[in-house]
Amino acid sequence: MNIFGLLKNLWPFVKPYRLLIACTITLTFIGSLMAQVNAIVLDKAVDAINALIQNVSFDWSKATKILLIISIVLLGKELIAAFITFFQRYFGQKLRIFVSRDLSLQVIDRILTFRMSFFSAEDNDTGKLQSRIDRGVMSLSNTVNNFFIDILPLFTSAILALILMFAANFYVGLVALCIVPVYFYITYRQAKRMKGGRRSIFSSHQAVSQGILNILESISVIKSFNREQVEAEKQQAVQQTMTDRQMSTRRWSYLYDGLKSFFEQIGTVLIIILTAYLVLTDYPGMSIGKIMYHVMLFSNVSAPIRQLHRIYDDMNDALIYAEGFFGILHAHDEVEDTGEYHPDTVRGEFELNGVDFTYGNGTKALTDVSMRIQRGKITALVGLSGAGKTTIVNLLDKFYHPDSGSIKLDSTELRDWDTRWLRENIGLVLQKNHIFNGTIEENIRYGNPKATHEDVVEAARQAYIYDQIMQLPKQFDAPALQLSGGQQQRIAIARMFIKNPPIIFLDEPTASLDAVATEQIKSSIDAIKAGRTVIIISHNIGQIVDADQIYVLQKGRVVQSGTPDEVYRQGGLYKEIFDASARSMNVDKIADRVKGVERVATQSQLT
């Protein structure tokens, strides 16, 4: 992205604040005029004082008058300049803050429309996305700030100073003008030379952010394996790489800065020599005051030049970060597809025919999958880890689209369904559900924002979490993130209860619950299953055997299907899983123990 492209992309966010821009530009122009007053006053003051000194009869009253006029003009100018600078910077900062807010809101709105494949891409993991957004907003808002608070005032002042120099003496103005393109060229070469280094630093920042995020998310695992030193060494290597890149970039930056400072001083020396020569040769319009006048004006011309390296640094940062930021805003092909089919009722009958699906990282998840999920029935997806069970649920919820084959809901292609309407009629409970930063009531009501407090209480009762909530000091107003993992899972299940959808997807819904809680939730889920289409993924055979239909998957293919009894009699993978689950639970010993207890109880009753 070049500067023109940056400004073109940034303009829609600046355009709504045209009044602020007009006020800022007006104040900038007035402030730039004020910046030339010192040179003009010094020019007149030096000549007036020089004439007064050369006068045989020195008059202190005239000297006092000159000093008084100088004081009034300069102090008045500073007072006006302070007033103008305050509002010019205030309006500029206000514009920056508003643009920063709009950029953040726009990228959030855009991300919320993206399909799931965008977030599963390798370059779009959480840490990298956060870095692209944060640094993009920061650098772009700084660009607005630099333009209206730094660049615009400085260059307006420089142009006015240059015009005054040309008006006073063409040759002096020409010397000043000739220095400017040399300085610009050096700055351009600096920016071009350092562009690659800045990109590598940006990549290093992303790696550092991702590494810190991984540590925070995995801290319990790190400590349990005593791998603190290993993780510290990984971060040290990443930080060292970034440090080396930063130092290399700084070395080149300081080299170019020294070269620019040298040419700036050459310009000042040339101005002094030329103006002194013109005074000595009695050039028309030149005086001792004009020497100081031109030197101060050239200082106003070189002021933006002195700031140019910093402005270029910020601008190049903005160009780099803007690519990633606007890459998100302009990723139109990542926007989630939505259809227009919007029936009054959803029966809940799915049909998959010859479905293939491959994730963005190249992992083949499903191959020629065909199945029918009947309305009002419980369908269980069984298989070893990685068999493709969760992928099917993701496809049915329109998180992804199949590579080939068709998926229909109630005889209509799933692609044609209005996505929002579809998901309003689906309840999804995952093995690990996300709990938002907020109260318990807010998290439960997330399933139905229109629900009353009584609805929230009833959902909590159904999820067998009500009694535990009431034991908390703040009860339903307690922070949900402070609950245990099992309690958070019940909150997620309560969220599904309060939504009360006709279709339910259960992906290991009781995986993080204890045996008693699992039995309680199973009873509650059994009650809500009635008359609904339910798809359940579970390694708990107690939940599988209740299903009306079972599909057994292996390496992304359906290898068995039928009722639980039919599939078990077929042998094969399902029987292996069932028997292994029974053995792992010591079902034989549990049965013997139960029988023994029952036998003792019977004998006690007989005696």
Side-chain angles (χ1 to χ4, degrees), residues 357-366:
F357 178 73
T358 303
Y359 283 103
N361 59 9
T363 302
K364 182 76 171 180
L366 299 176

Side-chain angles (χ1 to χ4, degrees), residues 68-109:
L68 183 61
I69 293 173
I70 293 173
S71 299
I72 292 173
V73 172
L74 291 181
L75 290 175
K77 170 256 178 182
E78 290 300 329
L79 184 62
I80 296 172
F83 178 82
I84 291 172
T85 300
F86 170 80
F87 282 100
Q88 187 260 340
R89 288 183 175 274
Y90 174 76
F91 290 147
Q93 281 290 340
K94 187 175 182 179
L95 180 62
R96 181 194 69 81
I97 292 170
F98 285 178
V99 169
S100 176
R101 176 198 63 191
D102 294 347
L103 287 167
S104 298
L105 291 175
Q106 182 70 28
V107 76
I108 290 171
D109 289 343

Side-chain angles (χ1 to χ4, degrees), residues 570-590:
Q570 293 172 8
L573 180 61
Y574 176 70
K575 186 176 185 301
E576 294 177 11
I577 294 174
F578 190 97
D579 292 345
S581 298
R583 288 193 298 272
S584 67
M585 294 172 60
N586 285 323
V587 171
D588 293 340
K589 291 184 179 180
I590 292 173

